[in-house]
């Protein structure tokens, strides 16, 4: 399960603006295709989610899962936001990172890294293809929401 899939995209906004959209978990159902409901179970003193429950409906995969977040970002939004899976009935692992860095022209380079493992057997090649689809969709939806 050491394999991880990653991709990146440039978003025409400052890192803080990108991070604001990523951190607004409760708005995910408005702009992500598969996330249908979000509940912040535990928040940090600054209001950001520490433990967050998601209800997912991605066609063949439906699940409710809880992620634990680690906010390694500075006040400008630069840094890494990582998460690990705490609870799920379908997923064995859903661990990832958004890494935000400055790009020319006041834009942000967003690198997304993800590893997924299901409780049902799946060929590594199919799992990596699913990871790639998740990443590409998430990055394009994020870009559209931020630049919207």
């Amino acid at each position: 399960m050491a394999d991880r899939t990653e991709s990146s995209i440039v978003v025409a906004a400052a890192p803080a603006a990108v991070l604001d959209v990523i951190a607004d978990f409760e708005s995910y159902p408005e702009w992500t295709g598969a996330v249908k409901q979000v509940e912040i179970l535990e928040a940090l003193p600054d209001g950001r989610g520490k433990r967050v429950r998601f209800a997912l409906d991605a066609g063949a995969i439906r699940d409710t899962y809880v992620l634990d977040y680690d906010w390694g970002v500075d006040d400008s939004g630069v840094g890494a936001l990582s998460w690990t899976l705490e609870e799920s009935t379908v997923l064995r692992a859903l661990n990832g990172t958004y890494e935000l860095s400055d790009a020319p022209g006041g834009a942000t380079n967003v690198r997304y890294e993800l590893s997924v493992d299901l409780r049902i057997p799946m060929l590594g090649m199919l799992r990596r293809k699913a990871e790639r689809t998740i990443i590409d969709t998430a990055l394009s939806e994020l870009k559209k929401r931020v630049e919207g």
Side-chain angles (χ1 to χ4, degrees):
M1 190 52 228
D3 291 342
R4 296 175 77 83
T5 302
E6 69 177 74
S7 188
S8 62
I9 196 167
V10 175
V11 178
V18 176
L19 185 63
D20 284 347
V21 170
I22 293 170
D24 186 8
F25 297 119
E26 292 164 323
S27 292
Y28 280 26
E30 297 172 14
W31 61 273
T32 64
V35 176
K36 301 304 178 190
Q37 186 176 14
V38 178
E39 178 185 3
I40 296 177
L41 303 174
E42 180 183 341
L44 296 170
D46 65 5
R48 291 180 178 160
K50 171 70 176 146
R51 290 182 65 244
V52 183
R53 176 180 293 128
F54 296 86
L56 176 77
D57 184 350
I61 298 177
R62 292 187 177 125
D63 194 15
T64 299
Y65 57 91
V66 175
L67 300 179
D68 182 62
Y69 285 87
D70 180 24
W71 297 85
V73 293
D74 65 21
D75 291 339
S76 72
V78 172
L81 166 61
S82 300
W83 59 90
T84 56
L85 181 69
E86 273 196 3
E87 299 173 18
S88 172
T89 55
V90 175
L91 301 164
R92 184 175 301 148
L94 179 65
N95 306 320
T97 302
Y98 276 117
E99 187 175 308
L100 307 179
S101 58
D102 291 314
T108 303
N109 186 53
V110 180
R111 189 177 68 83
Y112 187 6
E113 187 177 289
L114 185 69
S115 64
V116 177
D117 193 13
L118 300 172
R119 294 187 187 278
I120 57 173
M122 180 181 276
L123 293 173
M125 180 179 68
L126 293 176
R127 182 177 44 79
R128 283 187 297 282
K129 182 175 178 167
E131 288 172 353
R132 170 65 59 197
T133 300
I134 292 167
I135 287 173
D136 290 346
T137 300
L139 287 173
S140 66
E141 288 176 336
L142 176 64
K143 180 178 178 72
K144 184 177 177 182
R145 177 72 171 196
V146 173
E147 294 179 355

